[in-house]
Amino acid sequence: MGNIESTAAALNLVALYAAAGVIFAILFLLFGITRIDNGAKGAGLGFRLLILPGLIALWPLMLIRWLSGGQPHG
Amino acid sequence: MAATYKPVLWNAHKRIYDTILIAGIVAYLAIFIAVGYATADSANTSLEILTISALGACAFFMLHIVLAIGPLARLSPKFLPLLYNRRHLGVALFVVAASHAIFGTIWYHGYGVINPIVSLFVSNPRYDAIGAFPFESLGVIALVILFLMAATSHDFWLNNLSPAVWKTLHMLIYPAYGSVVLHVLLGAASGHGGSPLYVWAVAAGFAIIVGLHITAGIAQSGRDAATRRNLDGDWIDAGTVADIPEKRARRITTPSGHQIAIFKYDGKVAAISNVCAHQMGPLAEGCIKDGLVTCPWHGWQYDPATGRSPAPYTEKVETFAVRVKDGRVFVAAKPNPKGAAATPAAIG
Ligand code: HEM
Ligand code: FES
């Protein structure tokens, strides 16, 4: 810390992670979500927008879940 | 219970609660700014700084409420409605804290030559000196945690994050609180925030939060010890029927560690495991709706006499034999298998 270059570089990494999250979230909301969660079938745009920030932040967790096919629940 | 997701499940109670919540936030900010403006020595107080302070103080106050709800609900069921609605409180807390952070960043770092967010971390690089510690970094840590909690508060996340991840995210509220306390104290130490009253307010808040957690812990271990004393062979004396509110439950813990929810409804008592099959929600904090035990967390339901979810669902929890004698409830210390019928006891 205390160094402009290294702080800027760290923040760029964060931005990169979030950008990857945005791309993931779009693909996931279009194609993935109804496969891993029945509750999302027929759910609207409002619901998708509400979970969007979380998808961008936690995308690696949801990628793993998508790849493993999701667990049935409820 | 796969029902199609809705953005928000509104009902009359939540509307009232949200109205009070928003009115409370607006009133808090207005009073804070008005009092600050009236009492300030005008030379070094601007409306901008007052707004930043008001938003920060409001978020900090809300954080105390969030932290107090858990132990309060364990001490008295009167506070349960707050527990059920804390999602909206959490999201509102994040919005207020984020506004504080955004204004603070723009005001103190937005007019320089380097990117304001980079400036936030580097403009005061003295992590070794208390009086000049970059207290804002601690605010960032807290804000990230509040964001993660708010962003994952929809039911979708409860269903799709593993219980371990979910629990970890929620326990992070304590480190978030610690960061904010340091953020405020170190901010005050480096000449922000003004009045020494602040330090006392922070200390008082800390004492209240710690005191509530300890009190709730002692009360619970007292109840558990009483349960152990009341063990009579294979039956546990779980107290009087009259003390259980209609359509609600009392929770007890058996000596072997099983948590039991004992429900009273329609002139009967029945006992099932306290642990919801969905994500281990506390069924004893739920209520009976349409004759079914309804989990307070996401509304999964169980027949109190069989521990089974109504068709077409297939979830099961353990049941416990119960009997009522002289107005007292006795419950078996050992559970029946999941989904095994146990006849509810008629209230004498
Ligand atoms: C990115 C995150 C954050 C930044 C950049 C930030 C920035 C600041 C700044 C610049 C001040 C000093 C204001 C002044 O000069 O009077 C301050 C004070 C304060 N902040 Fe934050 N903050 C952040 C997060 C938080 C969070 C998450 C909370 C609470 C939940 C919080 C609560 C407070 C409080 C209670 C004060 C003292 C108010 C006062 O000075 O009168 N802050 N913050
Ligand atoms: S824990 Fe989710 S419904 Fe009970």
Side-chain angles (χ1 to χ4, degrees):
Chain A
M1 282 284 178
N3 171 323
I4 295 183
E5 282 77 44
S6 57
T7 304
L11 286 171
N12 280 338
L13 280 182
V14 173
L16 213 60
Y17 174 89
V22 172
I23 294 166
F24 169 83
I26 293 169
L27 293 175
F28 178 78
L29 287 175
L30 286 176
F31 308 112
I33 190 164
T34 51
R35 288 201 204 170
I36 68 158
D37 191 329
N38 287 328
K41 293 205 173 104
L45 186 64
F47 158 71
R48 277 159 218 258
L49 287 178
L50 264 192
I51 64 167
L52 185 66
L55 287 175
I56 295 171
L58 298 175
W59 64 267
L61 288 176
M62 296 317 285
L63 179 60
I64 292 171
R65 199 171 150 83
W66 190 359
L67 292 178
S68 67
Q71 262 101 57
H73 67 85
Chain B
M1 306 270 142
T4 301
Y5 290 124
K6 299 274 183 307
V8 180
L9 287 168
W10 297 100
N11 61 34
H13 288 294
K14 283 192 193 163
R15 281 184 199 284
I16 295 170
Y17 179 90
D18 287 357
T19 309
I20 295 173
L21 181 60
I22 292 170
I25 293 171
V26 171
Y28 189 105
L29 296 176
I31 294 172
F32 190 104
I33 294 173
V35 171
Y37 211 68
T39 57
D41 44 60
S42 49
N44 48 28
T45 312
S46 71
L47 206 54
E48 287 87 346
I49 292 182
L50 262 178
T51 306
I52 296 168
S53 290
L55 288 165
C58 184
F60 194 38
F61 183 72
M62 292 168 78
L63 185 56
H64 281 83
I65 299 180
V66 167
L67 288 166
I69 289 175
L72 282 176
R74 268 179 277 147
L75 285 168
S76 161
K78 280 201 208 83
F79 294 101
L80 285 175
L82 281 177
L83 190 71
Y84 301 159
N85 289 304
R86 69 184 155 177
R87 256 187 237 207
H88 292 191
L89 182 58
V91 173
L93 163 55
F94 167 70
V95 170
V96 174
S99 313
H100 161 80
I102 291 168
F103 281 133
T105 305
I106 294 175
W107 181 250
Y108 287 103
H109 304 273
Y111 302 105
V113 287
I114 53 176
N115 176 326
I117 299 176
V118 175
S119 160
L120 195 61
F121 290 98
V122 299
S123 64
N124 185 357
R126 295 184 48 197
Y127 284 83
D128 54 337
I130 287 194
F133 191 91
F135 64 96
E136 287 144 325
S137 311
L138 292 158
V140 175
I141 293 173
L143 193 65
V144 168
I145 294 173
L146 293 178
F147 164 74
L148 287 175
M149 292 181 62
T152 57
S153 62
H154 192 277
D155 272 353
F156 168 81
W157 294 103
L158 280 149
N159 294 334
N160 288 287
L161 290 175
S162 70
V165 172
W166 180 253
K167 177 120 204 236
T168 309
L169 268 178
H170 280 250
M171 295 312 279
L172 283 176
I173 190 75
Y174 292 101
Y177 174 63
S179 301
V180 177
V181 166
L182 292 174
H183 171 71
V184 178
L185 293 182
L186 294 172
S190 55
H192 285 279
S195 119
L197 214 71
Y198 248 97
V199 179
W200 287 109
V202 171
F206 185 77
I208 291 172
I209 295 299
V210 172
L212 275 176
H213 278 81
I214 292 175
T215 313
I218 291 174
Q220 183 60 44
S221 70
R223 282 195 291 273
D224 293 349
T227 311
R228 278 193 295 281
R229 274 197 305 282
N230 293 343
L231 191 63
D232 171 15
D234 295 332
W235 293 88
I236 297 169
D237 180 345
T240 64
V241 176
D243 283 349
I244 307 178
E246 176 68 16
K247 291 201 163 42
R248 292 210 178 264
R250 152 155 342 120
R251 189 186 90 178
I252 64 164
T253 308
T254 69
S256 57
H258 284 99
Q259 291 190 8
I260 310 180
I262 307 169
F263 280 91
K264 174 162 103 177
Y265 62 106
D266 304 340
K268 294 177 282 191
V269 287
I272 64 175
S273 165
N274 180 50
V275 185
C276 181
H278 178 215
Q279 297 215 323
M280 302 187 281
L283 293 176
E285 289 170 16
C287 59
I288 303 266
K289 270 193 201 135
D290 306 325
L292 298 167
V293 171
T294 305
C295 179
W297 283 10
H298 325 103
W300 285 30
Q301 293 188 306
Y302 306 90
D303 182 335
T306 62
R308 290 168 181 265
S309 289
Y313 306 109
T314 54
E315 282 77 34
K316 291 181 280 204
V317 297
E318 291 148 337
T319 58
F320 290 81
V322 271
R323 55 188 197 198
V324 173
K325 220 176 114 192
D326 303 331
R328 298 190 77 81
V329 185
F330 294 83
V331 51
K334 292 209 178 62
N336 298 320
K338 289 184 178 175
T343 318
I347 299 171

